[in-house]
Structure formats: C-alpha cells, structure tokens
C-alpha cells in the first residue's frame, strides 16, 4: 500500500506540472523513470495523461508488472498501429529527451504522427530530486547499510594486498548486506562499477569518469576503479563506494593509510573536512548551487591547493557535490554555472577531494539531505583518517 500511495503522489505532482505547461500527458520509456512513477521496472512504456489514469504498456515481464505495479491499468504492449488509441486525443506530449535514443524518437514520430513532442527532462529531474519522507527513509537505510560495510574495513585491510582484493572484500560484504549494485547514471557515456578502492599513484590516474578520482581499473576497456597494483605504505588509500539498496543510492568516501601520510596530503585532508563543514552548514533551501561551488573553490585556493581540487591539474571536475537517489547523478549539482537554488528534501553527495598525480587522491564524501538548518548527514560514520 505504501508504494501505491507514494506513486500516486508522484503522478499527481507530475500531472500538476504538465497542466501548467499545457501538455496533454507524458510518455516515459526510461526504466528508472518508469519505476519512479509505477513501482515496477519492466521493459515498457508508461503513459501518464495530464487528466486521467496512467497506463503501463509492458513488453516484458507482464506477469511481474501485474504483481508489482502501483499503476492499476497494466496492459500488454500493443501493435504499433494501436498505440495512438492509448493516447487518445493527446497532441502535446512530454518526453525525456535527455535519455531517449534518436531511434526511439523516430519510432514514436512514426507511430504517433499527430503528436508534438516536448522535452520534459528538466521537469522530470527536478520532481525526482525532492525526496518524500518515504524516500528519505529508504536513503537512511541505504546509508546505514553502507556505513556498516565501511566500519569493517580495518578488519580486512592489510599491507601489500592488491587494490582488487580490497575492492572484492568490500563488494562481498556490501552484497551480503543486500547491495543491488545497479549504480544508475543518467549522463551519456558514463558508467560505474560500484565504486573505487585505490591507493597512491594508481588512485590518481585520470580517466573518463566525470569525477575527482577514477582509479586505474583493470584494463583500458574497464578504466575505472581498482587495479591489481599492491597497496603501498604511507600512500593514501581511497575507498569511494556507493550503496544501492531497494534502488536508492548513497555515496561515501573514507581514507586509510599504512603508516604516515606526507604532510601535503594531511593538509589536503584537513582542508577537505573544512570544505565539507562549509557546505554542510549551507545546504539550506534557497542557497545557490554555483555560489556554494565557488565558495568551496575559494577555500581550496586559500589553502594553496586550488590546482589539485576535484582532480588532477588541467582535468578537474567542475562540481563538488551531486544529487543522489535512484540515480548517482541526480539534481542538484553543486557546480560551476549551476545557478539554481537548493530545495528542501533534496539529497546531495558532497565530495571535496584533491588529486596529486603520481602520489594519490585524498578527501572525504558523505551524503546529506538539504534541511532548514543545513545539511542532515545520512552517512553517519566518523570522518577520521584511519591509520593502520
């Protein structure tokens, strides 16, 4: 019953916004959007009219969709010629252009020639960014389970073990906790396998991933995450992992070292904590995301670490925090140029980090909920640098 009420609330919010935009409805093809509004994840199309009841058109699996769907009207996907009858008199229809392949758009233009398709990507992402009390409980549970895994890392972290072995130990325990592992990313050409366990030079190796740390990975075809390199003494060990439980993602990073960090690295860690404190205090409704990023950059520059902030010099990520929920890259983004105010109930992974080519990556990351007095931390595990 809870998921049915939750999805009904989401659908009503969407319908209100569609009406404001003079749209007749929205058609969703992207699986996680369908899940958000229907509570099930089939291969399907979901039609949500501005007025009236939604219809879920399922290619596979119809039986599972019938059992799980919070949408009452679940049907077998019809022949193409019958699709117009589902939409009825609808003419202005919203689509999520940010994730819809051109081939699928051509298909819809062909089978629904009377429809004018309008991009509702921004609307959809904004609606999804604001978490309900029901969703917040899911994210708190995800955070608790991920923290339980991180808390055990000192039990199995050993000198000279390979990055790959460390990652396998973390992933094994996360899986035993119920981690689903589907780290969904909306951005084109981005992909991620669970997270990063990397140290020293290997952690600081740049790659395709749009973040401050990539890791060397296992090959050029999988250029992200742990490598087979051994973990060296006195090198920063970065453990940056997602937890995905019942679809909801949280993100966190903790630092470890065998021995002592170089003073430059220790300073960078302390500055990362200072930046996190500044952002936490300002994760309040109405605060401008671009201004928060600029404030974080100013703190890094004041410490003499601006060239290393959020990536290797010349290859720095232009954000310091990203929305999380059913996807890892939701709104809001604490980023350069993202001049958008925060809203109550948004959830943000704050990750101030510093990259030193040839030496390592160091920083911190926690997931927060935007609140009236600042950010409420969901990943409630001490930030301490763990020396072993």
């Amino acid at each position: 019953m809870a998921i049915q009420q939750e999805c009904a609330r989401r659908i009503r919010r969407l319908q209100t916004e569609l009406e404001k935009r003079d749209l007749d409805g929205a058609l969703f093809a992207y699986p996680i959007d369908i899940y958000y509004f229907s509570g099930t994840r089939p291969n399907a199309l979901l039609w949500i009219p501005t007025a009236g009841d939604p219809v879920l058109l399922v290619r596979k699996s119809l039986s599972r969709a019938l059992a799980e769907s919070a949408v009452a009207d679940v049907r077998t996907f019809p022949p193409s010629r019958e699709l117009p009858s589902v939409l009825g008199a609808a003419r202005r229809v919203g689509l999520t252009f940010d994730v819809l392949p051109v081939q699928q758009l051509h298909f819809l233009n062909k089978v629904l020639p009377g429809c004018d398709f309008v991009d509702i990507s921004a609307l959809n992402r904004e609606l999804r960014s604001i978490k309900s009390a029901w969703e917040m409980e899911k994210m708190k549970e995800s955070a608790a389970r991920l923290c339980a895994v991180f808390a055990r890392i000192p039990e199995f972290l050993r000198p000279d073990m390979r990055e790959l072995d460390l990652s396998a130990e973390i992933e094994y325990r996360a899986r035993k906790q119920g981690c689903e592992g589907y780290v969904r990313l909306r951005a084109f050409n981005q992909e991620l396998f669970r997270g990063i366990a990397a140290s020293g030079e290997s952690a600081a190796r740049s790659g395709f991933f749009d973040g401050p740390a990539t890791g060397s990975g296992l090959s050029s075809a999988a250029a992200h995450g742990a490598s087979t390199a051994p973990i060296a003494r006195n090198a920063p060990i970065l453990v940056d992992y997602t937890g995905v439980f019942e679809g909801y993602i949280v993100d966190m990073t903790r630092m470890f070292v065998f021995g002592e960090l170089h003073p430059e690295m220790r300073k960078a860690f302390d500055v990362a904590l200072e930046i996190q404190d500044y952002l936490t205090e300002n994760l309040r409704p109405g605060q401008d995301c671009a201004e928060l990023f600029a404030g974080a950059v100013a703190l890094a520059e004041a410490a003499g670490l601006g060239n290393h902030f959020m990536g290797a010099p010349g290859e720095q990520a232009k954000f310091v925090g990203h929305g999380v929920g059913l996807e890892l890259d939701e709104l809001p983004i604490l980023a350069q140029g993202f001049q958008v105010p925060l809203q109550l109930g948004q959830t943000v992974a704050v990750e101030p980090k510093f990259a030193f080519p040839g030496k390592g990556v160091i920083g911190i990351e926690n997931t927060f909920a935007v609140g009236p007095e600042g950010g409420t931390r969901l990943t409630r595990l001490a930030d301490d640098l763990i020396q072993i």
Side-chain angles (χ1 to χ4, degrees):
M1 181 61 69
I3 187 63
Q4 292 174 337
Q5 294 172 344
E6 180 70 14
C7 289
R9 181 193 62 82
R10 296 169 182 177
I11 289 167
R12 287 194 300 269
R13 287 177 65 215
L14 174 66
Q15 289 174 323
T16 297
E17 295 301 322
L18 294 174
E19 185 174 15
K20 290 178 184 178
R21 291 159 175 78
D22 195 29
L23 294 171
D24 297 316
L27 194 60
F28 292 97
Y30 201 56
I32 203 61
D33 293 334
I34 292 174
Y35 173 78
Y36 179 78
F37 288 108
S38 74
T40 187
R41 187 258 179 260
N43 180 357
L45 284 178
L46 175 63
W47 166 242
I48 302 180
T50 301
D53 297 325
V55 181
L56 185 61
L57 305 172
V58 181
R59 292 186 173 94
K60 192 174 185 295
S61 158
L62 180 64
S63 60
R64 183 149 185 172
L66 286 167
E68 295 177 345
S69 178
V71 169
D73 192 348
V74 179
R75 311 176 190 175
T76 300
F77 199 94
S80 299
R81 65 181 179 275
E82 296 177 15
L83 195 57
S85 65
V86 177
L87 274 63
R91 290 298 174 262
R92 281 176 49 82
V93 174
L95 293 177
T96 51
F97 285 8
D98 60 337
V99 289
L100 190 71
V102 173
Q103 184 183 48
Q104 291 300 307
L105 180 59
H106 287 335
F107 166 75
L108 292 173
N109 276 321
K110 180 179 179 180
V111 300
L112 300 168
C115 289
D116 175 23
F117 294 117
V118 178
D119 186 16
I120 59 166
S121 303
L123 166 61
N124 178 53
R125 296 192 72 188
E126 182 176 345
L127 288 175
R128 284 186 43 197
S129 77
I130 302 169
K131 307 303 187 289
S132 67
W134 184 88
E135 288 182 287
M136 204 66 75
E137 288 303 313
K138 296 292 183 186
M139 296 199 66
K140 288 177 182 178
E141 178 62 22
S142 292
R145 293 192 191 186
L146 183 60
C147 286
V149 174
F150 270 65
R152 296 188 62 188
I153 290 174
E155 299 174 13
F156 53 81
L157 180 57
R158 298 288 180 268
D160 300 322
M161 73 187 304
R162 301 181 305 170
E163 293 176 355
L164 182 61
D165 296 323
L166 174 58
S167 70
E169 294 287 347
I170 294 168
E171 290 156 19
Y172 165 74
R173 286 164 175 79
R175 189 65 168 162
K176 292 274 282 186
Q177 282 277 359
C179 183
E180 294 164 346
Y182 287 92
V183 186
R184 295 181 169 97
L185 287 156
R186 204 168 189 91
F188 182 64
N189 273 350
Q190 292 295 299
E191 55 189 4
L192 168 70
F193 181 75
R194 306 279 290 276
I196 304 170
S199 69
E201 180 180 0
S202 176
R205 190 175 182 189
S206 296
F208 71 91
F209 189 71
D210 186 19
T214 298
S216 297
L218 294 172
S219 74
S220 297
H224 183 278
S227 72
T228 56
I231 296 172
R233 292 184 179 273
N234 303 318
I237 304 166
L238 175 84
V239 178
D240 179 351
Y241 263 85
T242 58
V244 190
F245 302 89
E246 293 191 51
Y248 283 89
I249 302 170
V250 293
D251 199 1
M252 66 185 291
T253 297
R254 292 295 182 271
M255 300 301 308
F256 304 82
V257 63
F258 291 116
E260 297 286 342
L261 283 181
H262 187 279
E264 182 182 37
M265 292 287 187
R266 181 72 219 201
K267 176 184 177 180
F269 182 71
D270 291 340
V271 174
L273 293 178
E274 180 185 357
I275 293 172
Q276 178 182 247
D277 288 345
Y278 157 75
L279 293 171
T280 303
E281 182 181 346
N282 287 284
L283 287 176
R284 300 192 302 268
Q287 292 280 48
D288 184 85
C289 293
E291 290 180 6
L292 292 181
F293 174 75
V297 171
L299 289 171
E301 290 177 344
L305 295 169
N307 286 337
H308 300 279
F309 185 53
M310 298 306 292
E315 296 191 343
Q316 292 154 288
K318 302 302 182 184
F319 70 91
V320 69
H322 55 92
V324 287
L326 291 171
E327 292 171 310
L328 187 64
D329 55 349
E330 294 194 357
L331 299 181
I333 313 167
L334 307 184
Q336 179 178 298
F338 195 77
Q339 295 176 305
V340 175
L342 292 173
Q343 299 184 62
L344 186 67
Q346 291 178 324
T347 44
V348 187
V350 172
E351 57 169 327
K353 292 172 183 165
F354 296 90
F356 299 86
K359 298 178 181 179
V361 178
I362 194 159
I364 195 71
E365 182 173 18
N366 283 292
T367 300
F368 297 86
V370 175
E373 305 300 326
T376 299
R377 185 192 289 217
L378 303 183
T379 44
R380 300 177 62 84
L381 184 70
D383 292 337
D384 302 339
L385 168 70
I386 304 298
Q387 293 180 276
I388 300 175

